[in-house]
Amino acid sequence: MTVVEQMLETYPKDLGQVDQGKLSACIQACIDCAQACTACADACLSEDKVAELTKCIRDNLDCADLCDTTGRVLSRHTGYDANLTRTVLEACAAACRTCGDECERHADMHEHCRICAATCHRCEQACQALLDSLGPIEQPREPA
Amino acid sequence: MTVVEQMLETYPKDLGQVDQGKLSACIQACIDCAQACTACADACLSEDKVAELTKCIRDNLDCADLCDTTGRVLSRHTGYDANLTRTVLEACAAACRTCGDECERHADMHEHCRICAATCHRCEQACQALLDSLGPIEQPREPA
Amino acid sequence: MTVVEQMLETYPKDLGQVDQGKLSACIQACIDCAQACTACADACLSEDKVAELTKCIRDNLDCADLCDTTGRVLSRHTGYDANLTRTVLEACAAACRTCGDECERHADMHEHCRICAATCHRCEQACQALLDSLGPIEQPREPA
Amino acid sequence: MTVVEQMLETYPKDLGQVDQGKLSACIQACIDCAQACTACADACLSEDKVAELTKCIRDNLDCADLCDTTGRVLSRHTGYDANLTRTVLEACAAACRTCGDECERHADMHEHCRICAATCHRCEQACQALLDSLGPIEQPREPA
């Protein structure tokens, strides 16, 4: 059992109707993807043709931040709010898609981009799978 | 001029059609709100009736993470992607609304919740104002 | 091979004299520990006796932030600076020791604290092992 | 009064012997510096001669992460631990010094580096001033 699974297993209250397998897979995918994107941004920085990789680096940095935050939000169950979780998962999936597509474009040239693209696409899918399992959207309160 | 405004002013390339005033106001609101939420979570922790504030603490922690990440994404302009910005701003506004409403409920009892609620609502409005200025939504690519 | 190891393997320049096994183990320990601490803070929040766990929650939050940042700094190799790495590792080890000791005190009562304590102590050891492998301290420039 | 000062003012328990003015100044310096470094990394990425700025970008990213974490740790007072605070402040001051010195080298060429260098040096000084006010070092427990 991974640490993520152990921490989920020992949460002292009811986790509600969330799919525990999809939740722990998504948390793990988020923390793996955050690290891969941080490392890929740095690997791009060290490439001789860094000037061709500036959009890739920016997408890596955004994706790392989104995945980090999503992994944290998903690790909290007290006072759980499905609507907030849904919005955060959508933002994370969007960041992973953008970054994964950009890394993909450089995958033939740079092994780090190839691995990072695969990690981003896995994380996007894990976010989407968890989103699909959360059920129908409740109507949010209108913004003031 | 604030540091946020100075950094925006000295960005070496064109910032595109974004409203610079709304952008710098939103970045500032995000970093102020992230700090207020971190401090409010801790102030709640030190209250004698902490058991009544656990949802508030959780909302504070989520909101701090979302605001932090949003302030970072908005501070990046290279390879700008309006659709990603929009999704992140929506997630941040949702976190600020949830946290601001929860803090509001404790504002009569706890001064830190009153200040944090006001900071969250200001940040929600700054996100909304920037969102409104970003113009019509482009159709995102279908997820794989 | 883990994602951390793959990203390290594909870094395009020379990694210098750092011990790659100890480096990847430390990055992995940091990201696991950051997640465990975030989850443990939340699990503590949901305990009926949360009032007895406020120091534990605070230590969890500090440790999560330090481990997150350390995992990021260690994932960057471009323009590597052994002195900065050393200082960051010392701060991370200190946070893990403080948090691991505090969680340990609650390990008999709370399974999440028991697992989190073990994760913190593993991370402290991984930081220490990497620190030991970095060799003699160079004299830092005097602060202004 | 800034939001940082208001949150400090409304903390419900005793803050101990810490110098409140130096503490709020340091928190503010950390969050300003984190934002400036994130923006400077991105501005460097958009420079035509980005290949000459890769160490600067890396230092910016490290400094942003350290300042973010330090601002968070300093915003927490419950279960305060002077030794951990000291270690974190030392790591943050080291990151600010490294980044400020590197940005300084590019200050004549790039306005964003000039502003970022000044922000880093202000943050280093704020960390040092708070460190100096924390009093004599207690002997930490030996690592296991």
Side-chain angles (χ1 to χ4, degrees), chain C residues 35-52:
Chain C
Q35 196 276 328
C37 286
T38 300
C40 190
D42 182 73
C44 287
L45 268 186
S46 85
E47 292 288 354
D48 294 333
K49 299 196 173 177
V50 57
E52 296 170 11

Side-chain angles (χ1 to χ4, degrees), chain A residues 9 23 33-34 52 58 62 64 68-69 71 92 114:
Chain A
E9 191 86 6
L23 177 58
C33 193
E52 296 170 12
R58 190 252 156 98
D62 282 354
D68 234 346
T69 282
C92 190
R114 193 180 58 74

Side-chain angles (χ1 to χ4, degrees), chain B residues 91-110:
Chain B
C92 189
C96 289
R97 189 159 52 242
T98 298
C99 186
D101 288 355
E102 180 64 29
C103 276
E104 192 87 45
R105 296 181 49 229
H106 311 287
D108 285 347
M109 290 285 289
H110 306 304

Side-chain angles (χ1 to χ4, degrees), chain A residues 13 42 46 65 72 77, chain C residues 13 42 46 65 68 72 77:
Chain A
K13 291 271 159 65
D42 181 72
S46 84
D65 289 337
R72 284 171 168 240
H77 320 295
Chain C
K13 291 272 160 64
D42 182 73
S46 85
D65 289 337
D68 235 346
R72 284 170 169 241
H77 320 295

